[in-house]
PDB file of all heavy atoms in Angstrom:
ATOM      1  N   GLN A 152      25.818  -0.492  13.008  1.00 63.00           N
ATOM      2  CA  GLN A 152      26.392  -0.210  11.698  1.00 63.00           C
ATOM      3  C   GLN A 152      26.408   1.286  11.454  1.00 63.00           C
ATOM      4  O   GLN A 152      25.360   1.926  11.422  1.00 63.00           O
ATOM      5  CB  GLN A 152      25.569  -0.906  10.612  1.00 63.00           C
ATOM      6  CG  GLN A 152      26.062  -0.661   9.210  1.00 63.00           C
ATOM      7  CD  GLN A 152      27.503  -1.090   9.055  1.00 63.00           C
ATOM      8  OE1 GLN A 152      27.836  -2.227   9.342  1.00 63.00           O
ATOM      9  NE2 GLN A 152      28.360  -0.168   8.653  1.00 63.00           N
ATOM     10  N   THR A 227      26.667  -1.678  -0.754  1.00 95.00           N
ATOM     11  CA  THR A 227      27.311  -2.995  -0.847  1.00 95.00           C
ATOM     12  C   THR A 227      26.983  -3.681  -2.169  1.00 95.00           C
ATOM     13  O   THR A 227      27.533  -4.745  -2.452  1.00 95.00           O
ATOM     14  CB  THR A 227      26.858  -3.931   0.295  1.00 95.00           C
ATOM     15  OG1 THR A 227      25.449  -4.178   0.153  1.00 95.00           O
ATOM     16  CG2 THR A 227      27.144  -3.333   1.653  1.00 95.00           C
ATOM     17  N   TYR A 230      21.121  -5.651  -4.059  1.00 98.00           N
ATOM     18  CA  TYR A 230      19.844  -5.006  -4.370  1.00 98.00           C
ATOM     19  C   TYR A 230      18.767  -5.431  -3.367  1.00 98.00           C
ATOM     20  O   TYR A 230      17.950  -4.612  -2.944  1.00 98.00           O
ATOM     21  CB  TYR A 230      19.424  -5.380  -5.789  1.00 98.00           C
ATOM     22  CG  TYR A 230      18.219  -4.630  -6.296  1.00 98.00           C
ATOM     23  CD1 TYR A 230      18.298  -3.273  -6.596  1.00 98.00           C
ATOM     24  CD2 TYR A 230      17.000  -5.269  -6.474  1.00 98.00           C
ATOM     25  CE1 TYR A 230      17.200  -2.580  -7.061  1.00 98.00           C
ATOM     26  CE2 TYR A 230      15.891  -4.580  -6.945  1.00 98.00           C
ATOM     27  CZ  TYR A 230      15.995  -3.240  -7.234  1.00 98.00           C
ATOM     28  OH  TYR A 230      14.904  -2.558  -7.695  1.00 98.00           O
ATOM     29  N   SER A 231      18.782  -6.694  -2.991  1.00 98.00           N
ATOM     30  CA  SER A 231      17.745  -7.187  -2.076  1.00 98.00           C
ATOM     31  C   SER A 231      17.819  -6.464  -0.730  1.00 98.00           C
ATOM     32  O   SER A 231      16.778  -6.184  -0.120  1.00 98.00           O
ATOM     33  CB  SER A 231      17.898  -8.691  -1.879  1.00 98.00           C
ATOM     34  OG  SER A 231      19.186  -8.988  -1.386  1.00 98.00           O
ATOM     35  N   ASP A 274      20.242   3.599 -13.764  1.00 96.00           N
ATOM     36  CA  ASP A 274      20.775   2.362 -14.351  1.00 96.00           C
ATOM     37  C   ASP A 274      21.548   2.652 -15.637  1.00 96.00           C
ATOM     38  O   ASP A 274      22.397   1.864 -16.045  1.00 96.00           O
ATOM     39  CB  ASP A 274      19.620   1.406 -14.695  1.00 96.00           C
ATOM     40  CG  ASP A 274      18.934   0.870 -13.453  1.00 96.00           C
ATOM     41  OD1 ASP A 274      19.542   0.922 -12.367  1.00 96.00           O
ATOM     42  OD2 ASP A 274      17.788   0.406 -13.570  1.00 96.00           O
ATOM     43  N   GLY A 279      28.246   5.339 -13.650  1.00 93.00           N
ATOM     44  CA  GLY A 279      27.788   4.827 -12.368  1.00 93.00           C
ATOM     45  C   GLY A 279      27.597   3.324 -12.404  1.00 93.00           C
ATOM     46  O   GLY A 279      28.013   2.644 -13.350  1.00 93.00           O
ATOM     47  N   ASN A 280      26.994   2.809 -11.349  1.00 96.00           N
ATOM     48  CA  ASN A 280      26.637   1.390 -11.334  1.00 96.00           C
ATOM     49  C   ASN A 280      25.221   1.252 -10.772  1.00 96.00           C
ATOM     50  O   ASN A 280      24.959   0.496  -9.844  1.00 96.00           O
ATOM     51  CB  ASN A 280      27.635   0.583 -10.497  1.00 96.00           C
ATOM     52  CG  ASN A 280      27.479  -0.918 -10.722  1.00 96.00           C
ATOM     53  OD1 ASN A 280      27.208  -1.369 -11.840  1.00 96.00           O
ATOM     54  ND2 ASN A 280      27.648  -1.706  -9.672  1.00 96.00           N
ATOM     55  N   GLN A 283      23.576   1.309  -6.843  1.00 96.00           N
ATOM     56  CA  GLN A 283      24.585   1.090  -5.796  1.00 96.00           C
ATOM     57  C   GLN A 283      25.100   2.400  -5.176  1.00 96.00           C
ATOM     58  O   GLN A 283      25.283   2.488  -3.973  1.00 96.00           O
ATOM     59  CB  GLN A 283      25.754   0.273  -6.346  1.00 96.00           C
ATOM     60  CG  GLN A 283      26.724  -0.149  -5.242  1.00 96.00           C
ATOM     61  CD  GLN A 283      27.842  -1.078  -5.726  1.00 96.00           C
ATOM     62  OE1 GLN A 283      28.009  -1.276  -6.927  1.00 96.00           O
ATOM     63  NE2 GLN A 283      28.592  -1.634  -4.803  1.00 96.00           N
ATOM     64  N   THR A 287      27.318   9.993  -9.783  1.00 88.00           N
ATOM     65  CA  THR A 287      27.397  10.571 -11.127  1.00 88.00           C
ATOM     66  C   THR A 287      26.867  11.993 -11.176  1.00 88.00           C
ATOM     67  O   THR A 287      27.231  12.757 -12.060  1.00 88.00           O
ATOM     68  CB  THR A 287      26.590   9.727 -12.132  1.00 88.00           C
ATOM     69  OG1 THR A 287      25.198   9.825 -11.804  1.00 88.00           O
ATOM     70  CG2 THR A 287      27.013   8.268 -12.100  1.00 88.00           C
TER      71      THR A 287
ATOM     72  N   HIS B 120      31.174  16.530 -15.911  1.00 88.00           N
ATOM     73  CA  HIS B 120      30.495  15.406 -16.564  1.00 88.00           C
ATOM     74  C   HIS B 120      30.053  15.772 -17.970  1.00 88.00           C
ATOM     75  O   HIS B 120      30.163  14.974 -18.903  1.00 88.00           O
ATOM     76  CB  HIS B 120      29.295  14.956 -15.724  1.00 88.00           C
ATOM     77  CG  HIS B 120      29.687  14.122 -14.541  1.00 88.00           C
ATOM     78  ND1 HIS B 120      29.054  14.180 -13.328  1.00 88.00           N
ATOM     79  CD2 HIS B 120      30.688  13.221 -14.382  1.00 88.00           C
ATOM     80  CE1 HIS B 120      29.631  13.344 -12.484  1.00 88.00           C
ATOM     81  NE2 HIS B 120      30.626  12.752 -13.094  1.00 88.00           N
ATOM     82  N   ARG B 163      12.573  -6.769 -15.780  1.00 97.00           N
ATOM     83  CA  ARG B 163      13.177  -5.631 -16.484  1.00 97.00           C
ATOM     84  C   ARG B 163      13.663  -6.011 -17.868  1.00 97.00           C
ATOM     85  O   ARG B 163      13.752  -5.170 -18.757  1.00 97.00           O
ATOM     86  CB  ARG B 163      14.335  -5.062 -15.662  1.00 97.00           C
ATOM     87  CG  ARG B 163      13.919  -4.469 -14.340  1.00 97.00           C
ATOM     88  CD  ARG B 163      15.127  -4.063 -13.519  1.00 97.00           C
ATOM     89  NE  ARG B 163      14.754  -3.723 -12.165  1.00 97.00           N
ATOM     90  CZ  ARG B 163      14.557  -4.610 -11.198  1.00 97.00           C
ATOM     91  NH1 ARG B 163      14.711  -5.896 -11.437  1.00 97.00           N
ATOM     92  NH2 ARG B 163      14.204  -4.217 -10.000  1.00 97.00           N
ATOM     93  N   ALA B 290      32.956  -1.673  -4.755  1.00 93.00           N
ATOM     94  CA  ALA B 290      32.426  -1.700  -3.386  1.00 93.00           C
ATOM     95  C   ALA B 290      31.557  -2.937  -3.207  1.00 93.00           C
ATOM     96  O   ALA B 290      30.687  -3.219  -4.029  1.00 93.00           O
ATOM     97  CB  ALA B 290      31.615  -0.443  -3.118  1.00 93.00           C
ATOM     98  N   THR B 298      27.550  -9.346  -5.695  1.00 98.00           N
ATOM     99  CA  THR B 298      28.116  -8.060  -6.116  1.00 98.00           C
ATOM    100  C   THR B 298      29.381  -8.300  -6.937  1.00 98.00           C
ATOM    101  O   THR B 298      29.631  -7.603  -7.932  1.00 98.00           O
ATOM    102  CB  THR B 298      28.446  -7.188  -4.885  1.00 98.00           C
ATOM    103  OG1 THR B 298      27.275  -7.083  -4.081  1.00 98.00           O
ATOM    104  CG2 THR B 298      28.898  -5.803  -5.288  1.00 98.00           C
ATOM    105  N   ARG B 305      30.603  -6.244 -15.277  1.00 98.00           N
ATOM    106  CA  ARG B 305      30.566  -4.867 -15.780  1.00 98.00           C
ATOM    107  C   ARG B 305      31.949  -4.441 -16.257  1.00 98.00           C
ATOM    108  O   ARG B 305      32.105  -3.898 -17.352  1.00 98.00           O
ATOM    109  CB  ARG B 305      30.111  -3.932 -14.652  1.00 98.00           C
ATOM    110  CG  ARG B 305      30.126  -2.460 -14.992  1.00 98.00           C
ATOM    111  CD  ARG B 305      30.069  -1.639 -13.712  1.00 98.00           C
ATOM    112  NE  ARG B 305      29.816  -0.232 -13.962  1.00 98.00           N
ATOM    113  CZ  ARG B 305      30.760   0.664 -14.228  1.00 98.00           C
ATOM    114  NH1 ARG B 305      32.011   0.281 -14.317  1.00 98.00           N
ATOM    115  NH2 ARG B 305      30.434   1.933 -14.429  1.00 98.00           N
ATOM    116  N   ARG B 323      25.148 -15.546  -1.959  1.00 97.00           N
ATOM    117  CA  ARG B 323      26.056 -14.751  -1.120  1.00 97.00           C
ATOM    118  C   ARG B 323      25.759 -15.066   0.337  1.00 97.00           C
ATOM    119  O   ARG B 323      24.691 -15.573   0.683  1.00 97.00           O
ATOM    120  CB  ARG B 323      25.870 -13.255  -1.380  1.00 97.00           C
ATOM    121  CG  ARG B 323      24.492 -12.728  -1.064  1.00 97.00           C
ATOM    122  CD  ARG B 323      24.463 -11.222  -0.851  1.00 97.00           C
ATOM    123  NE  ARG B 323      23.091 -10.725  -0.828  1.00 97.00           N
ATOM    124  CZ  ARG B 323      22.280 -10.811   0.214  1.00 97.00           C
ATOM    125  NH1 ARG B 323      22.696 -11.385   1.338  1.00 97.00           N
ATOM    126  NH2 ARG B 323      21.045 -10.344   0.154  1.00 97.00           N
ATOM    127  N   VAL B 329      29.245  -4.655   9.167  1.00 79.00           N
ATOM    128  CA  VAL B 329      30.410  -4.584   8.284  1.00 79.00           C
ATOM    129  C   VAL B 329      31.665  -5.140   8.945  1.00 79.00           C
ATOM    130  O   VAL B 329      32.446  -5.850   8.310  1.00 79.00           O
ATOM    131  CB  VAL B 329      30.631  -3.132   7.815  1.00 79.00           C
ATOM    132  CG1 VAL B 329      32.011  -2.988   7.189  1.00 79.00           C
ATOM    133  CG2 VAL B 329      29.574  -2.758   6.795  1.00 79.00           C
ATOM    134  N   ASP B 350      19.327 -10.186  -5.952  1.00 98.00           N
ATOM    135  CA  ASP B 350      20.553  -9.458  -6.354  1.00 98.00           C
ATOM    136  C   ASP B 350      20.957  -9.850  -7.774  1.00 98.00           C
ATOM    137  O   ASP B 350      21.322  -9.001  -8.597  1.00 98.00           O
ATOM    138  CB  ASP B 350      21.732  -9.807  -5.430  1.00 98.00           C
ATOM    139  CG  ASP B 350      21.505  -9.414  -3.982  1.00 98.00           C
ATOM    140  OD1 ASP B 350      20.531  -8.696  -3.702  1.00 98.00           O
ATOM    141  OD2 ASP B 350      22.305  -9.840  -3.141  1.00 98.00           O
ATOM    142  N   TYR B 357      21.726  -5.462 -15.221  1.00 98.00           N
ATOM    143  CA  TYR B 357      22.850  -4.541 -15.398  1.00 98.00           C
ATOM    144  C   TYR B 357      23.860  -5.096 -16.405  1.00 98.00           C
ATOM    145  O   TYR B 357      24.483  -4.343 -17.152  1.00 98.00           O
ATOM    146  CB  TYR B 357      23.530  -4.274 -14.050  1.00 98.00           C
ATOM    147  CG  TYR B 357      22.792  -3.268 -13.186  1.00 98.00           C
ATOM    148  CD1 TYR B 357      21.585  -2.716 -13.602  1.00 98.00           C
ATOM    149  CD2 TYR B 357      23.287  -2.860 -11.962  1.00 98.00           C
ATOM    150  CE1 TYR B 357      20.915  -1.797 -12.823  1.00 98.00           C
ATOM    151  CE2 TYR B 357      22.613  -1.926 -11.181  1.00 98.00           C
ATOM    152  CZ  TYR B 357      21.420  -1.408 -11.610  1.00 98.00           C
ATOM    153  OH  TYR B 357      20.751  -0.488 -10.845  1.00 98.00           O
TER     154      TYR B 357
END
Side-chain angles (χ1 to χ4, degrees):
Chain A
Q152 179 57 55
T227 64
Y230 188 70
S231 58
D274 292 341
N280 193 37
Q283 188 175 10
T287 67
Chain B
H120 282 144
R163 295 174 190 82
T298 306
R305 176 197 191 274
R323 62 160 168 79
V329 166
D350 298 350
Y357 281 3

